[in-house]
Amino acid sequence: MTDTNHVVLVGRLTKDLGTDERSFGYVANGQARANISIAVNRSKKNGDQWIDEVNYFDVTIWGKTAENLKPYLTKGKQIVVEGYLKQDRWEKDGQKFSKVSVVANNVQLIGGRAEGGQVSNGAPRIQPINNASSGYSSNYSSEPYGDSGMDLPEDIPF
């Protein structure tokens, strides 16, 4: 029987991706690797008061996902990370060390602050280019598919 190792975190990036060579790069086989850290806030009750507790998690993103997200992973951006926990163990100068990190299978950009303090949904804004030489025509029909729907029988069971 296989054990389950699945984690979903919602948090904010602690720094911009690509600020140093350890945060973004390519491994020997040419695959992109992004190392990020996210802060996850949690509220817990201490007596009669609620206190905020912050936990920091290291996350590794691989491949095309890392390359595609690089321009959007900026400090303070809120993201959802879905993946699994990975433990690294090593020994240095006779002392044993261990570190647990998250390996991302899926990363989603969600809320965050855009320039000027406006709240954005985190998705890149893509605007179509209206260029006649590209062969793209924006003149399309917006008529509904089929009839208008007004001729449906009244005995539909829903």
Side-chain angles (χ1 to χ4, degrees):
M1 182 170 123
T2 303
D3 296 327
T4 301
N5 180 357
H6 184 87
V7 63
V8 177
L9 298 170
V10 178
R12 295 190 181 273
L13 288 156
T14 60
K15 65 180 181 176
D16 293 347
L17 179 63
T19 55
D20 60 16
E21 58 187 52
R22 292 183 62 194
S23 69
F24 185 85
Y26 293 90
V27 294
N29 67 1
Q31 187 177 31
R33 178 213 21 90
N35 291 324
I36 61 171
S37 178
I38 61 172
V40 178
N41 294 321
R42 178 176 167 256
S43 294
K44 67 179 189 175
K45 196 163 189 177
N46 187 6
D48 292 339
Q49 294 182 348
W50 286 93
I51 59 171
D52 288 332
E53 177 182 271
V54 180
N55 292 291
Y56 298 93
F57 297 96
D58 293 328
V59 179
T60 302
I61 307 168
W62 290 98
K64 288 287 184 190
T65 304
E67 289 178 328
N68 293 336
L69 288 175
K70 185 179 178 184
Y72 306 107
L73 295 179
T74 57
K75 183 177 180 176
K77 176 66 74 179
Q78 190 175 30
I79 64 171
V80 177
V81 175
E82 178 184 1
Y84 61 92
L85 297 175
K86 180 178 185 286
Q87 182 180 30
D88 293 318
R89 296 180 183 191
W90 68 96
E91 189 173 322
K92 182 177 180 182
D93 299 329
Q95 192 171 11
K96 294 182 180 182
F97 295 92
S98 174
K99 177 182 175 182
V100 175
S101 61
V102 177
V103 178
N105 291 330
N106 186 19
V107 177
Q108 296 177 22
L109 302 173
I110 56 175
R113 297 265 173 216
E115 289 184 29
Q118 298 293 328
V119 175
S120 70
N121 66 359
R125 294 182 185 155
I126 300 173
Q127 297 177 348
I129 299 172
N130 206 0
N131 188 350
S133 64
S134 69
Y136 171 76
S137 172
S138 62
N139 297 330
Y140 63 92
S141 173
S142 62
E143 296 176 18
Y145 178 76
D147 294 332
S148 66
M150 296 304 203
D151 56 346
L152 294 175
E154 294 182 23
D155 60 345
I156 296 178
F158 55 87

